[in-house]
Amino acid sequence: MFSLISPFFLLRIGLTYFLVWRRKAKKSIPLGDGWWGHGQQTLRDDNKIYPFKVETSEDEINDLHRRIDQMRYTEPLEDCGFQYGFNSNYLQKVVSYWRNQFDWKKQVAKLNEYPHFKTNIEGLDVHFVHVRAPHRPGQKVLPLMLVHGWPGSFFEFYKILPLLTDTKDDLAFEVICPSIPGYGFSEAPHKQGFCSLDAARIFLKLMERLGFNKFYLQGGDWGSLITTNMAQMKPQCVSGLHLNMLAVTKRGVGMLLSLIIGPYLPFLVGFTREDVRRLFPYFEKNVYDLLMESGYMHIQGTKPDTAGCGLNDSPVGLAAYILEKFSTWTDRKNRDLEDGDLEKKYSLDDLLTNVMIYWTTRSIIPSMRFYKENFKTNPQNRVDARTGIFVPMGHAAFPNELMHCPLPWARWRFKDIRSYSYMPRGGHFAAFEEPRLLAEDFVKFVRKVEGKKR
C-alpha cells in the first residue's frame, strides 16, 4: 500500500515546495530606506529639485595643463599594442591633443545643451539630466530612465537622447539620466555599504519625486544591475526593463549540460549557432579573456582608495586608466593595436569629456568604491540574486560585449522576456558606440510591450 501511494505522496510534497518557492521568488525586494549624508539623519528631507549647470574656470584649466606638463612617460615594450595596458606612445598623442587642442569650455557648453538638475535623496545631492520630448499631436510619450556604468557617465547617452526624445514617430520618450551617487556630479556616499540596491532605491525615489508612477528602464554595466534591482523592488512601477549587458550564471546540472552539450548539439540546450560562436571555446572566452580584462575589478573591489590616489592626482594617469577600457571593451582585438583603435568608434573630444567629468568632480575614488561595496559579500547570496524578475524584459546582445548570455540562461532569472536581439556589431559601451542600433532595439522592445505595431 505504502509503495503504491508513495510516488503520489512525493509528487504532492514536491509540488507544494515548488509553489512555496514560486510564491517566494515572486516577492519583491523590500524598498527600505537609507542615509548616506554626513553625520546623523536629518528629521526632514529636502524634496525640492534645483536646476544645475556644469561650470568651469580658468584656474581649473590651468591646473589641468600644469599637471599634464609634469607627466613622466615610460617607453612601451616593442610591438606590444595595448596588451600591457594603454600604450604610452599613443598616450602621448592623446595627451598632446588634450593639452593643445581640446576645448573644455566648448564641451561644457555641450554638456549644458540638456537641462541638468539636483535633488537631495537620503542625504545625497543626486544629479540627473531630464530631457522632455517636443509635443507632437498623436504622439505617445513614455517616461524612461537610462542608467550608466563604470567608467562611463551620463554623457554616454548624449548621442542616443535625440533618437529617443526628438522623433517624428508615434512613440517618444521623456528621458531621465541620473549620475550614480559617487559618479560625476552626484554626491558621493559618506558612509560604508552603498551598493546597487541602495542606488536602485534612490533612483526609484527620484522617479517618484518627478511624478512618475510607471516608467521604462534601460542600462548596461552597473546600470543593468541597478535597473534590474529597481524592477525587483517596485515591479508595479516598471513598464519594461531593457538591458545591453547580462551576467547570468547558475550552479547545477542545467549549466553543466549547457557547457558540455552546447558546442556539439546546441539545439538540445536551446542554443543557436550564434550562441555557440560567441560562447565557445568557453574557457578561452569566458574565463581567460575575462581574467585578462578584470584586473581593475580586483583592485577596486578590495583597495580602491589606494589605487585611486594616483588617478585622482594625475590627469594623464586617469585618462590612461579610463580610456583603455573604451578600447578593449569595445573590441578585445584592439589589444593588438598600438593606438587601440580608440578613434575608430569615438572622437577624442567625446572620450576626453568623459574623462573630464571624472577629473573635475574628483569622482574616480568614490566610483571605484562602488565595486568594494558590491563585492563585500558573495553576490550569489544577496537578496537580489534570490529574487526573480517578472517585469517585461528585453535584451540587446552586442557581439563584443565582455560576456554573452544566451536566451535559455536569461530565462533562469527573467521570467517575461519579450525581446532578445543578436546585435550586428558593437561592444560594451552600446549607447556611446552604437546609439542608433540601441535606440532601435529599445523602441522595438517597447512596441512589443505596448502592443504597438510599426
Side-chain angles (χ1 to χ4, degrees):
M1 181 71 172
F2 179 78
S3 62
L4 290 174
I5 65 171
S6 59
F8 298 101
F9 177 76
L10 292 173
L11 179 62
R12 183 176 178 182
I13 292 294
L15 183 59
T16 301
Y17 273 108
F18 172 76
L19 292 174
V20 170
W21 171 84
R22 186 170 176 85
R23 284 196 295 270
K24 286 184 177 179
K26 281 191 175 183
K27 284 185 178 179
S28 59
I29 297 174
L31 192 62
D33 207 352
W35 176 260
W36 308 101
H38 282 293
Q40 297 297 313
Q41 182 172 359
T42 55
L43 294 177
R44 190 177 296 175
D45 284 338
D46 179 5
N47 293 325
K48 292 180 181 178
I49 296 172
Y50 300 91
F52 171 77
K53 189 175 182 181
V54 183
E55 295 180 340
T56 187
S57 66
E58 289 297 333
D59 287 345
E60 184 176 70
I61 295 170
N62 290 337
D63 177 67
L64 171 72
H65 289 171
R66 176 183 63 80
R67 291 170 184 265
I68 287 176
D69 292 341
Q70 292 177 344
M71 176 61 189
R72 300 181 302 172
Y73 296 91
T74 300
E75 184 180 351
L77 295 171
E78 294 178 4
D79 304 319
C80 69
F82 266 50
Q83 293 289 351
Y84 286 73
F86 206 110
N87 187 289
S88 59
N89 285 339
Y90 179 60
L91 179 61
Q92 291 180 67
K93 296 178 183 178
V94 172
V95 171
S96 176
Y97 180 87
W98 195 6
R99 175 65 174 84
N100 302 304
Q101 294 173 262
F102 179 76
D103 188 340
W104 176 228
K105 289 182 179 179
K106 179 181 176 182
Q107 295 306 112
V108 166
K110 183 176 181 179
L111 291 176
N112 287 321
E113 286 178 0
Y114 292 115
H116 294 247
F117 302 88
K118 283 190 177 184
T119 188
N120 195 274
I121 304 175
E122 298 189 7
L124 299 176
D125 285 334
V126 178
H127 161 262
F128 62 98
V129 174
H130 188 175
V131 186
R132 292 176 170 85
H135 177 72
R136 290 192 170 93
Q139 189 177 67
K140 186 174 185 178
V141 179
L142 299 169
L144 162 66
M145 176 176 278
L146 303 174
V147 183
H148 67 87
W150 187 92
S153 65
F154 67 91
F155 182 62
E156 285 182 74
F157 299 116
Y158 266 47
K159 290 181 181 178
I160 201 173
L161 281 172
L163 303 177
L164 296 172
T165 59
D166 193 8
T167 169
K168 294 181 173 62
D169 207 345
D170 62 337
L171 196 60
F173 299 90
E174 181 174 345
V175 183
I176 297 88
C177 296
S179 295
I180 300 170
Y183 288 68
F185 299 106
S186 278
E187 186 178 357
H190 299 279
K191 293 174 172 58
Q192 297 181 47
F194 186 91
C195 69
S196 66
L197 295 166
D198 303 299
R201 185 179 61 249
I202 283 177
F203 289 167
L204 285 170
K205 291 181 179 181
L206 172 61
M207 293 301 276
E208 181 181 2
R209 190 168 295 182
L210 291 170
F212 300 115
N213 55 22
K214 197 81 173 173
F215 45 83
Y216 282 88
L217 298 170
Q218 203 289 324
D221 196 87
W222 281 126
S224 69
L225 180 57
I226 292 169
T227 53
T228 298
N229 290 163
M230 293 172 73
Q232 292 171 307
M233 288 177 170
K234 273 197 169 182
Q236 70 274 18
C237 294
V238 178
S239 300
L241 170 68
H242 186 272
L243 307 175
N244 55 278
M245 178 181 172
L246 280 182
V248 178
T249 58
K250 183 180 180 182
R251 301 187 187 99
V253 177
M255 187 75 177
L256 186 62
L257 287 175
S258 293
L259 298 180
I260 294 173
I261 299 173
Y264 309 104
L265 298 169
F267 61 91
L268 288 180
V269 292
F271 286 178
T272 65
R273 289 182 179 178
E274 184 62 16
D275 290 327
V276 174
R277 190 184 71 80
R278 295 187 185 191
L279 269 180
F280 300 102
Y282 188 81
F283 183 86
E284 178 183 332
K285 293 188 175 182
N286 297 274
V287 179
Y288 179 73
D289 265 357
L290 282 180
L291 285 174
M292 291 285 289
E293 289 300 323
S294 59
Y296 80 99
M297 186 167 62
H298 298 286
I299 294 171
Q300 296 175 191
T302 54
K303 302 294 177 64
D305 286 31
T306 302
C309 285
L311 303 177
N312 196 44
D313 189 61
S314 168
V316 178
L318 180 68
Y321 195 72
I322 288 177
L323 296 186
E324 178 223 310
K325 305 307 179 192
F326 282 90
S327 167
T328 56
W329 291 1
T330 296
D331 190 337
R332 277 173 281 193
K333 293 178 182 177
N334 291 342
R335 291 185 300 219
D336 297 326
L337 306 173
E338 183 174 305
D339 65 355
D341 225 6
L342 197 61
E343 296 175 69
K344 180 180 180 180
K345 292 292 186 75
Y346 313 105
S347 72
L348 287 182
D349 280 342
D350 285 346
L351 291 168
L352 290 170
T353 296
N354 184 63
V355 173
M356 286 293 289
I357 290 171
Y358 280 87
W359 175 255
T360 57
T361 59
R362 306 183 186 186
S363 59
I364 187 61
I365 292 177
S367 76
M368 293 164 71
R369 288 175 184 160
F370 200 54
Y371 286 78
K372 171 80 171 179
E373 306 296 10
N374 279 286
F375 295 136
K376 273 185 174 177
T377 59
N378 184 349
Q380 296 293 330
N381 294 333
R382 287 193 351 176
V383 62
D384 51 333
R386 304 193 305 270
T387 305
I389 302 99
F390 295 89
V391 303
M393 182 269 190
H395 178 48
F398 285 85
N400 294 326
E401 182 54 271
L402 294 172
M403 59 190 75
H404 175 65
C405 180
L407 179 58
W409 292 5
R411 285 180 173 144
W412 290 339
R413 289 204 72 202
F414 299 89
K415 310 304 180 183
D416 187 10
I417 297 176
R418 305 288 182 91
S419 173
Y420 184 101
S421 306
Y422 296 98
M423 307 305 286
R425 62 185 179 275
H428 186 70
F429 303 99
F432 207 40
E433 179 191 356
E434 297 288 350
R436 188 166 295 279
L437 284 181
L438 184 62
E440 288 173 353
D441 193 74
F442 173 73
V443 171
K444 181 181 74 172
F445 161 69
V446 172
R447 287 186 179 280
K448 288 184 177 181
V449 175
E450 298 287 318
K452 282 177 167 288
K453 291 185 178 180
R454 193 174 181 82

